[in-house]
Amino acid sequence: MVSWNSVPLEITYQVLGWISFVAWSVSFYPQVILNFRRKSVVGLNFDFVLLNLTKHSSYMIYNVVLFFSPAVQQQYFQKYGRDQMIPVAANDVAFSMHAVLLTIITLFQIAIYERGVQKVSKISMAIVSVVWLAAAVCFFVALPNHSWLWLINVFNAIQVIMTLIKYIPQAIMNFRRKSTDGFSIGNILLDFLGGCTNYTQMIVQSIDQNSWVNFYGNIGKTLLSLVSVVFDLLFICQHYVLYPAKKAKADEPESQEQTVGIP
């Protein structure tokens, strides 16, 4: 295993990683708490949550396997060189496992709380079905030659695609309702912090190793931070600029009637 060249940079890397873990992990709780207090999930897009579960499950598979499997690490070193670090940190593993758990809890809240006329769209159900079917096919393709690095990179690609897709239903719902009522902005602010620190963590590693391999060696992590930050800025704009709280309250009766997912 390649060692760090600079102790201060190593400490900075670890600190940034765990700040990212805390921010991203805590970002799940405002929505869960909001749902609990309201005893309602009206305003939370169900497609967002379902796609999020697929996204985090895929990311967890990639992180856990690459972090713990010597066989997959060996394939990584063969591809990128033995002078490179594994591009997955302990905080990545901890975050993805925690994310899957909290997303399952949110889905449970959707099942038991007031939903209004909202439901999961057929489009999202179809997307999730196709994604997991494709992942199963890829598993059997990788099995004969034990191409495990290729396989987990497929899961990494899935999480990037799902990250891009998952935000769209909520953004469209906010636009249609002209309100962000029922969608926790605290979630987004913490997600934004996590994305920024996660990206900075990768930069610190690259500076220490004098190599940018970790950016394309774990392109999923790179794109995850980038996509998250872009959509977070969109949601922040919707909440504070386009549809501020006063307007949301004034339009509440009308907005609740329009609270639907993507048809």
Side-chain angles (χ1 to χ4, degrees), residues 11 14 23 29 47 53 61 63 78 81-82 86 89 106 132 152 156 159 198 200 208 217 224 226 232-233:
I11 294 173
Q14 295 294 341
Y29 289 93
D47 294 346
L53 180 61
I61 291 171
N63 286 330
Q78 289 175 353
R82 296 188 177 278
I86 293 297
T106 306
W132 286 111
I152 65 168
N156 205 14
Q159 72 92 6
N198 189 57
T200 306
D208 178 83
L224 167 64
L226 181 61
D232 288 340
L233 290 173

PDB file of all heavy atoms in Angstrom, residues 11 14 23 29 47 53 61 63 78 81-82 86 89 106 132 152 156 159 198 200 208 217 224 226 232-233:
ATOM      1  N   ILE A  11      -3.406  14.252   7.288  1.00  0.00           N
ATOM      2  CA  ILE A  11      -4.362  14.666   8.327  1.00  0.00           C
ATOM      3  C   ILE A  11      -5.489  15.486   7.710  1.00  0.00           C
ATOM      4  O   ILE A  11      -6.674  15.278   8.034  1.00  0.00           O
ATOM      5  CB  ILE A  11      -3.641  15.475   9.421  1.00  0.00           C
ATOM      6  CG1 ILE A  11      -2.643  14.581  10.167  1.00  0.00           C
ATOM      7  CG2 ILE A  11      -4.651  16.088  10.396  1.00  0.00           C
ATOM      8  CD1 ILE A  11      -1.768  15.343  11.160  1.00  0.00           C
ATOM      9  N   GLN A  14      -7.906  13.165   5.944  1.00  0.00           N
ATOM     10  CA  GLN A  14      -8.785  12.453   6.870  1.00  0.00           C
ATOM     11  C   GLN A  14      -9.861  13.383   7.441  1.00  0.00           C
ATOM     12  O   GLN A  14     -11.039  13.004   7.540  1.00  0.00           O
ATOM     13  CB  GLN A  14      -7.960  11.833   8.001  1.00  0.00           C
ATOM     14  CG  GLN A  14      -7.000  10.748   7.568  1.00  0.00           C
ATOM     15  CD  GLN A  14      -7.697   9.509   7.034  1.00  0.00           C
ATOM     16  OE1 GLN A  14      -8.878   9.281   7.286  1.00  0.00           O
ATOM     17  NE2 GLN A  14      -6.964   8.698   6.274  1.00  0.00           N
ATOM     18  N   ALA A  23     -21.429  15.596   7.167  1.00  0.00           N
ATOM     19  CA  ALA A  23     -22.360  16.469   6.445  1.00  0.00           C
ATOM     20  C   ALA A  23     -23.342  15.662   5.612  1.00  0.00           C
ATOM     21  O   ALA A  23     -24.560  15.897   5.655  1.00  0.00           O
ATOM     22  CB  ALA A  23     -21.575  17.438   5.549  1.00  0.00           C
ATOM     23  N   TYR A  29     -31.196  13.500   7.917  1.00  0.00           N
ATOM     24  CA  TYR A  29     -32.069  13.601   9.077  1.00  0.00           C
ATOM     25  C   TYR A  29     -33.092  14.734   9.022  1.00  0.00           C
ATOM     26  O   TYR A  29     -34.216  14.560   9.509  1.00  0.00           O
ATOM     27  CB  TYR A  29     -31.217  13.697  10.350  1.00  0.00           C
ATOM     28  CG  TYR A  29     -30.538  12.391  10.673  1.00  0.00           C
ATOM     29  CD1 TYR A  29     -29.249  12.119  10.214  1.00  0.00           C
ATOM     30  CD2 TYR A  29     -31.189  11.405  11.402  1.00  0.00           C
ATOM     31  CE1 TYR A  29     -28.623  10.912  10.477  1.00  0.00           C
ATOM     32  CE2 TYR A  29     -30.575  10.187  11.687  1.00  0.00           C
ATOM     33  CZ  TYR A  29     -29.292   9.949  11.216  1.00  0.00           C
ATOM     34  OH  TYR A  29     -28.693   8.743  11.477  1.00  0.00           O
ATOM     35  N   ASP A  47     -40.249   9.481  -6.266  1.00  0.00           N
ATOM     36  CA  ASP A  47     -39.279   9.035  -7.270  1.00  0.00           C
ATOM     37  C   ASP A  47     -37.866   9.336  -6.789  1.00  0.00           C
ATOM     38  O   ASP A  47     -36.944   8.534  -6.977  1.00  0.00           O
ATOM     39  CB  ASP A  47     -39.524   9.744  -8.608  1.00  0.00           C
ATOM     40  CG  ASP A  47     -40.855   9.363  -9.233  1.00  0.00           C
ATOM     41  OD1 ASP A  47     -41.452   8.366  -8.782  1.00  0.00           O
ATOM     42  OD2 ASP A  47     -41.298  10.050 -10.159  1.00  0.00           O
ATOM     43  N   LEU A  53     -32.336   5.231  -3.367  1.00  0.00           N
ATOM     44  CA  LEU A  53     -31.996   3.928  -2.797  1.00  0.00           C
ATOM     45  C   LEU A  53     -31.146   3.120  -3.771  1.00  0.00           C
ATOM     46  O   LEU A  53     -30.148   2.498  -3.375  1.00  0.00           O
ATOM     47  CB  LEU A  53     -33.261   3.151  -2.445  1.00  0.00           C
ATOM     48  CG  LEU A  53     -33.025   1.764  -1.841  1.00  0.00           C
ATOM     49  CD1 LEU A  53     -32.257   1.862  -0.529  1.00  0.00           C
ATOM     50  CD2 LEU A  53     -34.363   1.043  -1.624  1.00  0.00           C
ATOM     51  N   ILE A  61     -21.961  -0.881  -2.823  1.00  0.00           N
ATOM     52  CA  ILE A  61     -21.321  -2.071  -3.391  1.00  0.00           C
ATOM     53  C   ILE A  61     -19.915  -1.732  -3.877  1.00  0.00           C
ATOM     54  O   ILE A  61     -18.951  -2.453  -3.596  1.00  0.00           O
ATOM     55  CB  ILE A  61     -22.175  -2.647  -4.535  1.00  0.00           C
ATOM     56  CG1 ILE A  61     -23.482  -3.234  -3.972  1.00  0.00           C
ATOM     57  CG2 ILE A  61     -21.400  -3.719  -5.313  1.00  0.00           C
ATOM     58  CD1 ILE A  61     -24.479  -3.630  -5.027  1.00  0.00           C
ATOM     59  N   ASN A  63     -17.909   0.858  -2.994  1.00  0.00           N
ATOM     60  CA  ASN A  63     -17.015   1.246  -1.905  1.00  0.00           C
ATOM     61  C   ASN A  63     -16.596   0.066  -1.048  1.00  0.00           C
ATOM     62  O   ASN A  63     -15.405  -0.106  -0.725  1.00  0.00           O
ATOM     63  CB  ASN A  63     -17.682   2.313  -1.032  1.00  0.00           C
ATOM     64  CG  ASN A  63     -17.717   3.666  -1.692  1.00  0.00           C
ATOM     65  OD1 ASN A  63     -16.857   4.013  -2.491  1.00  0.00           O
ATOM     66  ND2 ASN A  63     -18.732   4.454  -1.368  1.00  0.00           N
ATOM     67  N   GLN A  78      -3.042  -3.420 -10.878  1.00  0.00           N
ATOM     68  CA  GLN A  78      -2.608  -3.877 -12.189  1.00  0.00           C
ATOM     69  C   GLN A  78      -3.014  -2.896 -13.286  1.00  0.00           C
ATOM     70  O   GLN A  78      -2.298  -2.733 -14.275  1.00  0.00           O
ATOM     71  CB  GLN A  78      -3.188  -5.267 -12.479  1.00  0.00           C
ATOM     72  CG  GLN A  78      -2.582  -6.383 -11.649  1.00  0.00           C
ATOM     73  CD  GLN A  78      -3.255  -7.720 -11.878  1.00  0.00           C
ATOM     74  OE1 GLN A  78      -4.279  -7.814 -12.566  1.00  0.00           O
ATOM     75  NE2 GLN A  78      -2.686  -8.780 -11.296  1.00  0.00           N
ATOM     76  N   GLY A  81      -1.395   0.962 -11.611  1.00  0.00           N
ATOM     77  CA  GLY A  81      -0.040   1.017 -11.094  1.00  0.00           C
ATOM     78  C   GLY A  81       0.004   0.830  -9.585  1.00  0.00           C
ATOM     79  O   GLY A  81      -0.895   1.274  -8.862  1.00  0.00           O
ATOM     80  N   ARG A  82       1.052   0.198  -9.123  1.00  0.00           N
ATOM     81  CA  ARG A  82       1.181  -0.076  -7.682  1.00  0.00           C
ATOM     82  C   ARG A  82       1.634   1.139  -6.887  1.00  0.00           C
ATOM     83  O   ARG A  82       1.714   1.088  -5.666  1.00  0.00           O
ATOM     84  CB  ARG A  82       2.152  -1.243  -7.462  1.00  0.00           C
ATOM     85  CG  ARG A  82       1.645  -2.539  -8.052  1.00  0.00           C
ATOM     86  CD  ARG A  82       2.506  -3.731  -7.667  1.00  0.00           C
ATOM     87  NE  ARG A  82       1.941  -4.968  -8.195  1.00  0.00           N
ATOM     88  CZ  ARG A  82       0.948  -5.643  -7.611  1.00  0.00           C
ATOM     89  NH1 ARG A  82       0.446  -5.212  -6.472  1.00  0.00           N
ATOM     90  NH2 ARG A  82       0.482  -6.750  -8.157  1.00  0.00           N
ATOM     91  N   ILE A  86      -5.553   3.340  -3.252  1.00  0.00           N
ATOM     92  CA  ILE A  86      -6.947   2.957  -3.491  1.00  0.00           C
ATOM     93  C   ILE A  86      -7.805   4.211  -3.324  1.00  0.00           C
ATOM     94  O   ILE A  86      -7.696   4.912  -2.307  1.00  0.00           O
ATOM     95  CB  ILE A  86      -7.394   1.874  -2.491  1.00  0.00           C
ATOM     96  CG1 ILE A  86      -6.646   0.576  -2.755  1.00  0.00           C
ATOM     97  CG2 ILE A  86      -8.902   1.636  -2.603  1.00  0.00           C
ATOM     98  CD1 ILE A  86      -6.910  -0.036  -4.106  1.00  0.00           C
ATOM     99  N   ALA A  89     -11.924   5.762   0.673  1.00  0.00           N
ATOM    100  CA  ALA A  89     -11.522   5.944   2.069  1.00  0.00           C
ATOM    101  C   ALA A  89     -12.557   5.319   3.001  1.00  0.00           C
ATOM    102  O   ALA A  89     -13.681   5.001   2.590  1.00  0.00           O
ATOM    103  CB  ALA A  89     -11.364   7.437   2.375  1.00  0.00           C
ATOM    104  N   THR A 106     -36.686   6.371   5.176  1.00  0.00           N
ATOM    105  CA  THR A 106     -37.540   7.347   4.485  1.00  0.00           C
ATOM    106  C   THR A 106     -38.622   6.647   3.676  1.00  0.00           C
ATOM    107  O   THR A 106     -39.779   7.090   3.633  1.00  0.00           O
ATOM    108  CB  THR A 106     -36.696   8.243   3.572  1.00  0.00           C
ATOM    109  OG1 THR A 106     -35.644   8.848   4.327  1.00  0.00           O
ATOM    110  CG2 THR A 106     -37.557   9.355   2.956  1.00  0.00           C
ATOM    111  N   TRP A 132     -31.243  -2.674 -12.303  1.00  0.00           N
ATOM    112  CA  TRP A 132     -30.856  -3.876 -11.570  1.00  0.00           C
ATOM    113  C   TRP A 132     -30.793  -5.098 -12.473  1.00  0.00           C
ATOM    114  O   TRP A 132     -29.976  -6.009 -12.241  1.00  0.00           O
ATOM    115  CB  TRP A 132     -31.804  -4.116 -10.400  1.00  0.00           C
ATOM    116  CG  TRP A 132     -31.548  -3.158  -9.277  1.00  0.00           C
ATOM    117  CD1 TRP A 132     -32.360  -2.143  -8.859  1.00  0.00           C
ATOM    118  CD2 TRP A 132     -30.374  -3.081  -8.457  1.00  0.00           C
ATOM    119  NE1 TRP A 132     -31.772  -1.447  -7.825  1.00  0.00           N
ATOM    120  CE2 TRP A 132     -30.559  -2.007  -7.551  1.00  0.00           C
ATOM    121  CE3 TRP A 132     -29.203  -3.823  -8.392  1.00  0.00           C
ATOM    122  CZ2 TRP A 132     -29.596  -1.665  -6.606  1.00  0.00           C
ATOM    123  CZ3 TRP A 132     -28.243  -3.480  -7.451  1.00  0.00           C
ATOM    124  CH2 TRP A 132     -28.442  -2.411  -6.564  1.00  0.00           C
ATOM    125  N   ILE A 152     -17.487  -3.715 -10.439  1.00  0.00           N
ATOM    126  CA  ILE A 152     -17.805  -2.663  -9.471  1.00  0.00           C
ATOM    127  C   ILE A 152     -17.763  -1.283 -10.124  1.00  0.00           C
ATOM    128  O   ILE A 152     -18.436  -0.356  -9.671  1.00  0.00           O
ATOM    129  CB  ILE A 152     -16.878  -2.717  -8.227  1.00  0.00           C
ATOM    130  CG1 ILE A 152     -15.432  -2.414  -8.604  1.00  0.00           C
ATOM    131  CG2 ILE A 152     -17.021  -4.045  -7.516  1.00  0.00           C
ATOM    132  CD1 ILE A 152     -14.540  -2.181  -7.393  1.00  0.00           C
ATOM    133  N   ASN A 156     -20.391   1.682  -9.983  1.00  0.00           N
ATOM    134  CA  ASN A 156     -19.996   3.073  -9.791  1.00  0.00           C
ATOM    135  C   ASN A 156     -20.632   3.960 -10.854  1.00  0.00           C
ATOM    136  O   ASN A 156     -21.083   5.077 -10.568  1.00  0.00           O
ATOM    137  CB  ASN A 156     -18.465   3.191  -9.848  1.00  0.00           C
ATOM    138  CG  ASN A 156     -17.940   4.404  -9.096  1.00  0.00           C
ATOM    139  OD1 ASN A 156     -18.661   5.037  -8.321  1.00  0.00           O
ATOM    140  ND2 ASN A 156     -16.686   4.734  -9.327  1.00  0.00           N
ATOM    141  N   GLN A 159     -24.298   4.511 -10.015  1.00  0.00           N
ATOM    142  CA  GLN A 159     -24.573   5.513  -8.983  1.00  0.00           C
ATOM    143  C   GLN A 159     -24.439   6.929  -9.533  1.00  0.00           C
ATOM    144  O   GLN A 159     -25.156   7.831  -9.103  1.00  0.00           O
ATOM    145  CB  GLN A 159     -23.685   5.284  -7.755  1.00  0.00           C
ATOM    146  CG  GLN A 159     -22.225   5.627  -7.908  1.00  0.00           C
ATOM    147  CD  GLN A 159     -21.884   7.047  -7.494  1.00  0.00           C
ATOM    148  OE1 GLN A 159     -22.739   7.762  -6.983  1.00  0.00           O
ATOM    149  NE2 GLN A 159     -20.653   7.463  -7.745  1.00  0.00           N
ATOM    150  N   ASN A 198     -15.825  16.644  -0.065  1.00  0.00           N
ATOM    151  CA  ASN A 198     -15.453  15.396  -0.716  1.00  0.00           C
ATOM    152  C   ASN A 198     -14.538  15.658  -1.909  1.00  0.00           C
ATOM    153  O   ASN A 198     -13.530  14.964  -2.123  1.00  0.00           O
ATOM    154  CB  ASN A 198     -16.715  14.662  -1.181  1.00  0.00           C
ATOM    155  CG  ASN A 198     -16.430  13.258  -1.671  1.00  0.00           C
ATOM    156  OD1 ASN A 198     -15.875  12.441  -0.965  1.00  0.00           O
ATOM    157  ND2 ASN A 198     -16.830  12.968  -2.901  1.00  0.00           N
ATOM    158  N   THR A 200     -12.694  18.362  -2.364  1.00  0.00           N
ATOM    159  CA  THR A 200     -11.434  18.905  -1.849  1.00  0.00           C
ATOM    160  C   THR A 200     -10.539  17.795  -1.324  1.00  0.00           C
ATOM    161  O   THR A 200      -9.306  17.835  -1.479  1.00  0.00           O
ATOM    162  CB  THR A 200     -11.700  19.923  -0.729  1.00  0.00           C
ATOM    163  OG1 THR A 200     -12.612  20.929  -1.210  1.00  0.00           O
ATOM    164  CG2 THR A 200     -10.419  20.595  -0.280  1.00  0.00           C
ATOM    165  N   ASP A 208      -0.661  15.365  -2.795  1.00  0.00           N
ATOM    166  CA  ASP A 208       0.330  14.600  -2.046  1.00  0.00           C
ATOM    167  C   ASP A 208       1.020  13.563  -2.929  1.00  0.00           C
ATOM    168  O   ASP A 208       2.235  13.371  -2.843  1.00  0.00           O
ATOM    169  CB  ASP A 208      -0.336  13.897  -0.859  1.00  0.00           C
ATOM    170  CG  ASP A 208       0.639  13.053  -0.068  1.00  0.00           C
ATOM    171  OD1 ASP A 208       1.346  13.619   0.792  1.00  0.00           O
ATOM    172  OD2 ASP A 208       0.703  11.824  -0.309  1.00  0.00           O
ATOM    173  N   GLY A 217      -9.555   7.243 -11.698  1.00  0.00           N
ATOM    174  CA  GLY A 217      -9.600   5.888 -11.159  1.00  0.00           C
ATOM    175  C   GLY A 217     -10.876   5.653 -10.382  1.00  0.00           C
ATOM    176  O   GLY A 217     -11.341   4.517 -10.251  1.00  0.00           O
ATOM    177  N   LEU A 224     -19.918  12.337  -8.708  1.00  0.00           N
ATOM    178  CA  LEU A 224     -20.896  12.423  -7.623  1.00  0.00           C
ATOM    179  C   LEU A 224     -20.852  13.795  -6.965  1.00  0.00           C
ATOM    180  O   LEU A 224     -21.886  14.445  -6.769  1.00  0.00           O
ATOM    181  CB  LEU A 224     -20.606  11.339  -6.578  1.00  0.00           C
ATOM    182  CG  LEU A 224     -21.320  11.471  -5.226  1.00  0.00           C
ATOM    183  CD1 LEU A 224     -22.822  11.333  -5.417  1.00  0.00           C
ATOM    184  CD2 LEU A 224     -20.805  10.419  -4.243  1.00  0.00           C
ATOM    185  N   LEU A 226     -19.541  16.588  -8.178  1.00  0.00           N
ATOM    186  CA  LEU A 226     -19.863  17.641  -9.138  1.00  0.00           C
ATOM    187  C   LEU A 226     -21.364  17.756  -9.366  1.00  0.00           C
ATOM    188  O   LEU A 226     -21.934  18.856  -9.288  1.00  0.00           O
ATOM    189  CB  LEU A 226     -19.144  17.363 -10.464  1.00  0.00           C
ATOM    190  CG  LEU A 226     -19.368  18.389 -11.580  1.00  0.00           C
ATOM    191  CD1 LEU A 226     -18.863  19.762 -11.155  1.00  0.00           C
ATOM    192  CD2 LEU A 226     -18.672  17.931 -12.862  1.00  0.00           C
ATOM    193  N   ASP A 232     -27.610  20.963  -5.899  1.00  0.00           N
ATOM    194  CA  ASP A 232     -27.815  21.639  -4.613  1.00  0.00           C
ATOM    195  C   ASP A 232     -27.973  23.141  -4.823  1.00  0.00           C
ATOM    196  O   ASP A 232     -28.826  23.781  -4.200  1.00  0.00           O
ATOM    197  CB  ASP A 232     -26.642  21.366  -3.672  1.00  0.00           C
ATOM    198  CG  ASP A 232     -26.635  19.946  -3.142  1.00  0.00           C
ATOM    199  OD1 ASP A 232     -27.702  19.304  -3.186  1.00  0.00           O
ATOM    200  OD2 ASP A 232     -25.570  19.480  -2.701  1.00  0.00           O
ATOM    201  N   LEU A 233     -27.144  23.696  -5.696  1.00  0.00           N
ATOM    202  CA  LEU A 233     -27.255  25.127  -5.997  1.00  0.00           C
ATOM    203  C   LEU A 233     -28.613  25.449  -6.627  1.00  0.00           C
ATOM    204  O   LEU A 233     -29.201  26.497  -6.336  1.00  0.00           O
ATOM    205  CB  LEU A 233     -26.122  25.547  -6.926  1.00  0.00           C
ATOM    206  CG  LEU A 233     -24.716  25.575  -6.309  1.00  0.00           C
ATOM    207  CD1 LEU A 233     -23.660  25.840  -7.384  1.00  0.00           C
ATOM    208  CD2 LEU A 233     -24.629  26.636  -5.211  1.00  0.00           C
TER     209      LEU A 233
END
